[in-house]
Amino acid sequence: MSADSERHAMKMAKKKAARDKIMATKTDEKGLIVIHTGKGKGKSSAAFGMIFRHIAHDMQCAVVQFIKGGMSTGERDLILGKFSDICSFHTMGEGFTWETQDRDRDTEMAQAAWEKAKELIRDESNKMVLLDEINIALRYDYIDVNEVVTFLVEEKPAMTHVVMTGRNAKDDLIEIADLVTEMELVKHPFRSGVKAQIGVEF
């Protein structure tokens, strides 16, 4: 073994020992409140990755889409076509707010989505519930953020994971979350005239 290889091996052995010591203290399990927010792409994509992990582990889960309308998407079609027995999928919105242009209707739909979300979260057979684009509904005050925070703190079952996506997550929601990731926009093809494409955006 060369001197460089030996130094590297010793360095990695120390790093592993330190990490093992830290990991030995991490013994708790709990249902997490997870937020994916920010202006960058990938919030829903990352959340659906977690849903597909649950499906792969044969764990019951559910999805509620707050804003996106009934357009066909890869993840929706796959879940409804192949995994509806283990993952219930509810598209409750009718499209983005600039498309519907009807605040009263948007509020009504968001409220119905929130009622469905509460029902699914209360059902302890669901190990994860994804609330896709709920942050948008909260941003426009279609749903009261205080009601959402109170429900998650007081009623969410201890071992249920709840994942929430959308830009501009409210500070009150971030405060009670266990895991918050902000997707930062560095470059986006839309700015160069490239439209949303199948297999990338939907």
Side-chain angles (χ1 to χ4, degrees), residues 49-61 83 86:
M50 298 173 81
I51 286 290
F52 283 118
R53 282 180 179 160
H54 269 66
I55 291 170
H57 288 294
D58 203 29
M59 299 165 74
Q60 187 77 33
C61 52
F83 304 112
I86 194 166

Side-chain angles (χ1 to χ4, degrees), residues 122-137:
R122 287 183 179 119
D123 181 355
E124 294 189 35
S125 66
N126 289 316
K127 302 307 178 188
M128 174 176 282
V129 180
L130 165 56
L131 309 182
D132 192 33
E133 303 289 3
I134 189 175
N135 290 336
I136 305 299

Side-chain angles (χ1 to χ4, degrees), residues 107-202:
T107 301
E108 180 185 331
M109 298 303 290
Q111 291 285 339
W114 175 235
E115 290 304 314
K116 174 56 72 174
K118 289 190 289 185
E119 174 191 325
L120 293 166
I121 292 167
R122 287 183 179 119
D123 181 355
E124 294 189 35
S125 66
N126 289 316
K127 302 307 178 188
M128 174 176 282
V129 180
L130 165 56
L131 309 182
D132 192 33
E133 303 289 3
I134 189 175
N135 290 336
I136 305 299
L138 290 167
R139 176 187 180 189
Y140 289 112
D141 298 319
Y142 298 157
I143 310 167
D144 182 1
V145 68
N146 294 313
E147 181 185 344
V148 174
V149 167
T150 299
F151 175 82
L152 292 174
V153 169
E154 295 182 0
E155 293 194 50
K156 182 186 78 65
M159 294 307 295
T160 301
H161 305 297
V162 176
V163 183
M164 294 171 281
T165 71
R167 295 183 178 199
N168 303 111
K170 297 266 190 177
D171 289 342
D172 290 348
L173 207 54
I174 289 172
E175 190 168 332
I176 65 161
D178 299 288
L179 173 60
V180 180
T181 299
E182 183 167 4
M183 310 293 191
E184 181 180 350
L185 178 62
V186 178
K187 292 179 76 173
H188 197 296
F190 189 74
R191 292 183 172 180
S192 303
V194 180
K195 67 179 183 178
Q197 297 179 84
I198 190 167
V200 179
E201 275 82 18
F202 58 93

Side-chain angles (χ1 to χ4, degrees), residues 35-124:
I35 297 174
H36 296 168
T37 193
K39 294 181 180 179
K41 176 180 158 35
K43 297 176 287 293
S44 294
S45 300
F48 274 106
M50 298 173 81
I51 286 290
F52 283 118
R53 282 180 179 160
H54 269 66
I55 291 170
H57 288 294
D58 203 29
M59 299 165 74
Q60 187 77 33
C61 52
V63 177
V64 179
Q65 291 192 305
F66 278 74
I67 301 296
K68 293 167 185 168
M71 69 173 281
S72 173
T73 64
E75 57 270 21
R76 180 182 176 201
D77 293 348
L78 182 60
I79 289 170
L80 290 177
K82 304 281 187 182
F83 304 112
S84 60
D85 60 326
I86 194 166
C87 182
S88 61
F89 202 110
H90 307 272
T91 301
M92 308 290 287
E94 295 183 325
F96 290 99
T97 52
W98 58 85
E99 292 173 344
T100 62
Q101 300 175 19
D102 185 340
R103 180 176 174 80
D104 290 341
R105 181 66 175 164
D106 288 343
T107 301
E108 180 185 331
M109 298 303 290
Q111 291 285 339
W114 175 235
E115 290 304 314
K116 174 56 72 174
K118 289 190 289 185
E119 174 191 325
L120 293 166
I121 292 167
R122 287 183 179 119
D123 181 355
E124 294 189 35

